[in-house]
Amino acid sequence: MGTGAVSVDSVATWDTAEYERLAAIAVAAVARHVEESQAGEVPVGSPPPLPELIERLGLRSLIREGRLDPECFEPWLAEVLEQSVRLHHPAQIAHQVGAPDVPAAIADLVQGAINQPMSIYEMGPAAHAMERVVVEWMAATIGWPDGAGGVLTHGGSLANLTVLLAARAAAAPDAWMEGVDGTLAVLAPPSTHYSVRRSVAMLGLGERAVVDLEVDEYERIVPAALGEALERCHARGRRPMALVAAACATSTGLHDDLEAIGAFCREHGIWFHVDAAHGATALLSPAHRHRLRGIEHADSAIWDAHKMMRTSALAAAVLLREGWRLEAAFRQKAAYLIYEESDETGLSLLERQVECTKAALGTRIFMNLAFRGEQGIARYLEGQYDKTVRFWELISAREGFECLSRPESNILCFRYGRDSELQVRLRERLLAQKRFHLSSTEVNGERWLRMTVTAPATNEETIEGLLDVIEAIAA
Ligand SMILES: Cc1ncc(COP(=O)(O)O)c(C=O)c1O
């Protein structure tokens, strides 16, 4: 090597032939996995005990010995896929995690290699630009005027925390420096996603600062009872920092009356937050947008794209009607990343988010939008929501079965008989048989089976088959 030349460590630099070979193996294996999953050719499966799985995949020895190579990668990856949840499988109706679409999956493939943690523009220009445009588009889709803004973050839970931090800054601007004084409250129904209570505790208010809102038999907020809740709040010596409603609720998939709740919040000067982690994508559908009527009056909302917008986990948005309120939430600067008084700060997201380094979340959302368009995503959502109504009809027509209510999304609660214990046992038996994967939930103290219809391949035959199996188990 000549003088002045830099020695290149061949272990550390990319062997692009290796990249192409491993990528080809991975892409082919994943394509097969998705194909057999969506065709329902294989059982949906359920995991073995954790220690057995660690052993089967050779995880500990692989870490110690580092001996995975292109030859053994293929069979090993096949086993990993075998031990993974098949989100594209028709009988995979358990959770809200979306079955990702191709463009978002490709975004991850690219980002995995070029790694653009883009909180600061200069650390990932294209990815940063995509996040900006996606957030702008989401705020406009809600129907907010100019000045609305937000940020993408790693999941709905962190998004709720971020929003409540902004609400705290609005209600108690000194809280950042001085802490909180025990007089703040958050109004929310008992059915609110657990991340809301957790956020309240993490923000230093204490979980007791959550004032429960009255709910109906479907766990929806009763708007007529909001005045009484506010009185209870005041009687406890507290003032509301925010009120949280759901579009839609995690357990039931049902929507709160955002119009009536929003009017109440406006009248009483209360920050109105809509947790639309699951349901916001319905804003794209002319047929279902009405379910979120009133969200345009909210002060803030969250929107999980990894649910009905079919990106991989995670890609969530924190959205504020007045975008500047988000920056007011974070009264802190990292001097080595942000120059004081510099106009560079306009090209940073650090003032709006908990994270410092952040994955290129916007690229996943952008790619699905750019390839499928708003209409393509709306068609997917409508397909899933409409099928769920059809499943409600099928289940309601079967003797012995009942549904909680007509679905308003792709989430449906149903049960066989009324015994809560029986629902738990049914779910356990279904999982053991590895043919159907569904979840269960408690609504007003009673246990229900719960399905979330995210895989495009789920159809009436799937559900008829599920009901047959439930009847057979119960017999
Ligand atoms: C209404 C609602 N809010 C928040 C969350 C939390 O979102 P994440 O799982 O992305 O943290 C969920 C779902 O899991 C949800 O359904």
Side-chain angles (χ1 to χ4, degrees):
M1 192 170 291
T3 48
V6 177
S7 143
V8 172
D9 178 352
S10 64
V11 175
T13 56
W14 263 46
D15 172 355
T16 52
E18 179 194 42
Y19 175 70
E20 289 185 26
R21 189 164 167 206
L22 295 184
I25 292 170
V27 167
V30 169
R32 266 197 314 277
H33 171 82
V34 172
E35 223 159 55
E36 66 189 14
S37 297
Q38 62 192 12
E41 282 167 2
V42 284
V44 72
S46 72
L50 177 62
E52 190 185 320
L53 181 53
I54 290 173
E55 197 56 37
R56 203 184 289 181
L57 295 175
L59 302 184
R60 293 204 173 93
S61 64
L62 281 173
I63 287 180
R64 276 193 304 272
E65 295 156 23
R67 60 177 162 71
L68 206 55
D69 60 25
E71 268 69 48
C72 50
F73 177 56
E74 190 166 356
W76 180 79
L77 179 61
E79 187 62 29
V80 169
L81 293 174
E82 196 53 42
Q83 300 303 332
S84 299
V85 170
R86 294 179 178 273
L87 288 174
H88 302 267
H89 195 292
Q92 180 56 251
I93 45 177
H95 298 290
Q96 293 160 276
V97 187
D101 200 358
V102 174
I106 298 302
D108 281 4
L109 181 71
V110 174
Q111 290 297 325
I114 65 171
N115 197 25
Q116 305 282 292
M118 38 52 70
S119 298
I120 307 230
Y121 180 59
E122 71 172 45
M123 291 176 74
H128 185 102
M130 288 186 212
E131 165 158 344
R132 295 277 184 167
V133 171
V134 163
V135 166
E136 188 183 287
W137 168 83
M138 285 175 153
T141 301
I142 287 178
W144 283 334
D146 285 352
V151 77
L152 298 183
T153 196
H154 288 84
S157 304
L158 190 54
N160 274 333
L161 174 68
T162 308
V163 158
L164 290 175
L165 184 64
R168 193 187 73 172
D174 292 339
W176 186 272
M177 291 303 286
E178 309 296 338
V180 288
D181 62 5
T183 62
L184 296 176
V186 171
L187 309 180
S191 51
T192 198
H193 188 263
Y194 77 86
S195 61
V196 169
R197 282 173 187 279
R198 183 176 279 194
S199 299
V200 171
M202 283 158 67
L203 289 170
L205 275 67
E207 204 177 320
R208 287 209 181 87
V210 178
V211 174
D212 282 342
L213 296 175
E214 190 181 322
V215 291
D216 64 14
E217 59 187 311
Y218 304 116
E219 292 194 339
R220 291 175 307 200
I221 295 172
V222 178
L226 290 174
E228 183 273 323
L230 187 56
E231 279 168 23
R232 252 189 296 128
C233 176
H234 288 150
R236 282 161 55 178
R238 293 182 182 263
R239 62 194 169 98
M241 176 184 106
L243 185 155
V244 184
C248 51
T250 308
S251 271
T252 60
L254 302 177
H255 295 72
D256 285 323
D257 180 346
L258 304 184
E259 198 128 56
I261 300 165
F264 177 85
C265 288
R266 264 200 317 285
E267 186 187 335
H268 295 276
I270 301 170
W271 179 298
F272 178 31
H273 174 52
V274 179
D275 182 344
H278 189 95
T281 306
L283 291 167
L284 305 181
S285 159
H288 292 283
R289 190 181 164 96
H290 69 94
R291 301 192 186 286
L292 292 105
R293 195 176 295 133
I295 192 172
E296 63 280 6
H297 302 310
D299 295 284
S300 57
I302 68 162
W303 181 341
D304 274 10
H306 55 275
K307 296 189 163 79
M308 296 308 286
M309 274 191 81
R310 304 187 72 189
T311 72
S312 55
L314 297 161
V318 175
L319 302 162
L320 275 80
R321 160 199 286 283
E322 295 175 307
W324 66 270
R325 291 195 178 275
L326 194 48
E327 302 206 358
F330 294 97
R331 299 289 175 90
Q332 195 188 34
K333 295 200 167 183
Y336 59 94
L337 291 171
I338 307 166
Y339 305 115
E340 291 286 344
E341 318 287 2
S342 159
D343 60 3
E344 293 285 328
T345 52
L347 296 175
S348 158
L349 299 172
L350 297 181
E351 304 81 357
R352 303 182 194 183
Q353 63 191 29
V354 173
E355 301 99 322
C356 176
T357 303
K358 182 173 83 173
L361 309 176
T363 62
R364 298 170 182 162
I365 307 176
F366 178 84
M367 285 280 279
N368 274 354
L369 277 166
F371 273 87
R372 307 295 186 229
E374 290 182 22
Q375 287 178 1
I377 294 172
R379 266 199 306 280
Y380 161 72
L381 178 132
E382 286 161 5
Q384 300 306 107
Y385 276 31
D386 294 350
K387 265 192 297 192
T388 311
V389 171
R390 181 68 197 121
F391 301 162
W392 163 73
E393 288 168 351
L394 287 179
I395 296 169
S396 306
R398 280 253 191 155
E399 210 181 313
F401 287 89
E402 75 175 313
C403 294
L404 176 69
S405 72
R406 189 180 210 276
E408 297 177 353
S409 64
N410 58 329
I411 298 174
L412 175 62
C413 295
F414 68 103
R415 60 185 176 183
Y416 184 73
R418 299 211 151 169
D419 176 10
S420 285
E421 267 303 302
L422 174 64
Q423 314 311 315
V424 175
R425 285 202 306 276
L426 284 171
R427 192 182 102 88
E428 280 168 4
R429 288 288 297 278
L430 284 164
L431 289 182
Q433 290 185 358
K434 301 176 190 275
R435 286 174 55 197
F436 295 94
H437 189 190
L438 77 172
S439 56
S440 84
T441 190
E442 232 178 51
V443 182
N444 278 330
E446 292 187 19
R447 176 95 9 214
W448 296 77
L449 296 170
R450 171 179 176 270
M451 67 169 78
T452 312
V453 188
T454 53
T458 308
N459 58 25
E460 288 183 27
E461 210 179 307
T462 318
I463 303 306
E464 296 278 17
L466 169 68
L467 302 183
D468 291 345
V469 172
I470 290 177
E471 279 171 355
I473 294 173

